Amino acid sequence: MPRKRKASSITESPSSSTMYAQDNATKSAFEPYPPSKVYRLIEPGPVLLVSTGSLAESTHNLMTIGFHMMLQHDSPPLINACIGPWNTSFEALKKSGECVLAIPDARIAQKVVDIGNCDSDEVDKWEAFGMDALPAAVVKAPLVSAGDEGIIANVECVVVDRSMVKKYGMWVLKAVKAWVSPGFRESGRTLHHRGDGTFSVDGEVLDLKERMIKWKEFQD
Amino acid sequence: MPRKRKASSITESPSSSTMYAQDNATKSAFEPYPPSKVYRLIEPGPVLLVSTGSLAESTHNLMTIGFHMMLQHDSPPLINACIGPWNTSFEALKKSGECVLAIPDARIAQKVVDIGNCDSDEVDKWEAFGMDALPAAVVKAPLVSAGDEGIIANVECVVVDRSMVKKYGMWVLKAVKAWVSPGFRESGRTLHHRGDGTFSVDGEVLDLKERMIKWKEFQD
């Protein structure tokens, strides 16, 4: 389990009365984004950071993953993520059933790799890598921030199906709230892990919307 | 179900005696690649083509997907793929329990989109889009080829877990044989669907192997 750390000044126990204030605080870095469009963030296959634990109780942890997918566009939006008992975050996810998936920008590639290559039993990853934990609106785990445009988006998730956890370490998550960095589509470039420690960064963007005659409902 | 089509001259009923010949024929376009390293192909999150049905029986079909993930590196290598009853390929996959996942290069982006936007009940996709079906080594569904460097890799798969098919249309596949285009790491650029008909193409590659101190076994 991650060590407890000193709570930051923005950390308060979540309650319905603080929700609105938290929304405003979060807005300084991120803008709300419809959970029904989270597939636009996850389907491209970016490397993700996963925040678990509780910000209020200062037990929040951070890890890096590349094994995840969109499972369902909407009603509700579902995401699969592989987080096994070999990960320190596993116990926190098991206990709380909540997490935040953050999409890092290629600008912080080295931090993303380093976060995945040390252990929260030994290192306070938030402090060591200068990552900010911001209160989420719905879940106890914090949103992830890394200064200006270091994080493209945050997706607050709750676990809705544990039937593949024991066998594969795979969780089915429902996106319940999402946040994006302003202008993320123009400026954000995600990282794609090629499995061996090398990463491709988003290059050219092709607009082939005109040819997508079957799936118009996903372009609105 | 896809319409039956005229079998090509390389199409023969698979049997153990033809395996070696098939391996050789396939080698003209692709080189064998260890299934234990298939994570290097799938983890980056490229758009995939899926070939189902039987080449020998000329019932082979083709579709495009973006909802998939690596589930397990090895022992065995496992991949999740979302192919639901709303897809024509669903019935073929249900019947045979086999498919081929092909990774298209960005050069054929328009074809990849068009293949996903028509229906095999009405169109012979292989013929309409000039895609070649090559005999696989292990499964009945064909490898996918699209001329010079149009396809980066082919992964022959068998279904190993159907427990999430009914609820989510999600199949757990085991990679049993894999093939890559020669020099795929140097020349291949994959497509990543941003969910709305736009695609990011691989750009710059970052080599951060030095920082990957925890997962050295995946770099060999």
Side-chain angles (χ1 to χ4, degrees):
Chain A
M1 284 295 294
R3 290 177 305 175
K4 287 211 176 193
R5 63 186 64 74
K6 202 180 157 200
S8 73
S9 59
I10 52 168
T11 307
E12 292 176 7
S13 294
S15 74
S16 56
S17 66
T18 63
M19 284 297 179
Y20 185 73
Q22 286 177 357
D23 257 50
N24 274 351
T26 304
K27 266 185 181 165
S28 65
F30 299 105
E31 294 171 350
Y33 191 73
S36 62
K37 290 184 180 168
V38 157
Y39 63 87
R40 299 185 186 181
L41 306 171
I42 302 295
E43 188 180 347
V47 170
L48 301 178
L49 295 171
V50 186
S51 141
T52 51
S54 162
L55 177 60
E57 293 167 11
S58 296
T59 56
H60 46 301
N61 192 22
L62 201 56
M63 67 176 288
T64 305
I65 65 166
F67 284 19
H68 52 81
M69 69 188 275
M70 277 311 295
L71 177 63
Q72 191 168 284
H73 280 91
D74 195 10
S75 309
L78 297 180
I79 300 162
N80 285 338
C82 198
I83 297 166
W86 53 88
N87 299 122
T88 307
S89 302
F90 180 82
E91 285 301 325
L93 187 57
K94 195 172 160 187
K95 188 179 159 200
S96 72
E98 297 179 347
C99 66
V100 172
L101 304 179
I103 303 179
D105 189 274
R107 287 170 232 212
I108 63 161
Q110 293 192 351
K111 280 189 187 187
V112 171
V113 170
D114 292 349
I115 287 167
N117 278 271
C118 65
D119 207 308
S120 52
D121 288 341
E122 291 157 16
V123 181
D124 181 329
K125 299 191 186 187
W126 301 87
E127 198 174 293
F129 302 111
M131 307 297 285
D132 294 319
L134 304 178
V138 179
V139 304
K140 286 180 181 154
L143 307 186
V144 184
S145 176
D148 276 0
E149 298 177 339
I151 298 293
I152 291 170
N154 277 284
V155 182
E156 302 183 34
C157 298
V158 297
V159 174
V160 291
D161 190 333
R162 299 177 187 232
S163 63
M164 282 203 168
V165 172
K166 197 170 175 187
K167 195 164 181 187
Y168 305 110
M170 198 198 79
W171 306 75
V172 181
L173 309 171
K174 178 172 77 169
V176 291
K177 182 106 184 159
W179 307 88
V180 292
S181 179
F184 76 100
R185 273 295 203 207
E186 293 71 39
S187 59
R189 289 193 307 155
T190 58
L191 289 161
H192 303 267
H193 188 207
R194 309 201 309 173
D196 63 352
T198 66
F199 297 79
S200 60
V201 177
D202 290 341
E204 185 186 1
V205 172
L206 307 178
D207 184 346
L208 297 168
K209 284 182 182 176
E210 290 290 320
R211 307 181 93 87
M212 297 284 263
I213 52 175
K214 253 187 162 178
W215 317 105
K216 286 290 177 204
E217 67 269 32
F218 299 124
Q219 293 182 28
D220 66 330
Chain B
M1 283 294 296
R3 291 178 304 176
K4 287 210 174 194
R5 63 185 65 73
K6 201 179 157 200
S8 74
S9 60
I10 52 170
T11 307
E12 291 175 9
S13 294
S15 74
S16 56
S17 66
T18 63
M19 284 296 178
Y20 184 73
Q22 286 178 356
D23 257 50
N24 274 352
T26 304
K27 266 185 181 166
S28 64
F30 298 105
E31 294 172 350
Y33 191 74
S36 62
K37 290 183 180 169
V38 156
Y39 63 87
R40 298 184 185 181
L41 305 171
I42 302 295
E43 188 180 348
V47 170
L48 300 179
L49 294 172
V50 186
S51 140
T52 52
S54 162
L55 177 60
E57 293 167 13
S58 295
T59 55
H60 45 301
N61 191 23
L62 201 55
M63 67 176 287
T64 306
I65 65 166
F67 284 18
H68 52 80
M69 70 187 277
M70 278 309 296
L71 177 62
Q72 191 168 285
H73 281 91
D74 195 11
S75 308
L78 298 179
I79 300 163
N80 285 339
C82 198
I83 296 166
W86 53 87
N87 298 123
T88 306
S89 302
F90 180 81
E91 285 300 324
L93 187 57
K94 195 172 160 186
K95 188 179 159 201
S96 72
E98 296 179 347
C99 65
V100 172
L101 305 178
I103 303 178
D105 189 273
R107 288 170 232 210
I108 63 161
Q110 293 191 351
K111 280 189 187 186
V112 172
V113 170
D114 292 349
I115 287 166
N117 279 271
C118 64
D119 206 307
S120 53
D121 289 341
E122 292 158 15
V123 181
D124 182 329
K125 299 191 187 187
W126 301 88
E127 199 174 293
F129 303 111
M131 307 297 284
D132 295 319
L134 304 178
V138 180
V139 304
K140 286 179 181 154
L143 307 187
V144 184
S145 176
D148 276 1
E149 298 177 339
I151 298 292
I152 292 170
N154 276 283
V155 182
E156 302 184 34
C157 298
V158 297
V159 174
V160 291
D161 189 334
R162 297 177 188 232
S163 63
M164 282 203 167
V165 172
K166 197 170 175 187
K167 195 164 181 187
Y168 304 111
M170 198 198 79
W171 306 76
V172 181
L173 308 171
K174 178 172 76 168
V176 290
K177 182 104 185 163
W179 307 88
V180 292
S181 180
F184 76 100
R185 273 295 203 209
E186 293 71 40
S187 59
R189 288 193 307 154
T190 58
L191 289 162
H192 303 267
H193 188 207
R194 309 201 308 174
D196 63 352
T198 66
F199 297 79
S200 60
V201 177
D202 289 341
E204 185 186 0
V205 172
L206 307 178
D207 184 347
L208 296 169
K209 284 182 181 176
E210 291 289 320
R211 307 181 93 86
M212 296 284 263
I213 52 176
K214 253 187 162 179
W215 317 104
K216 286 291 178 203
E217 68 269 32
F218 299 123
Q219 293 182 27
D220 66 331

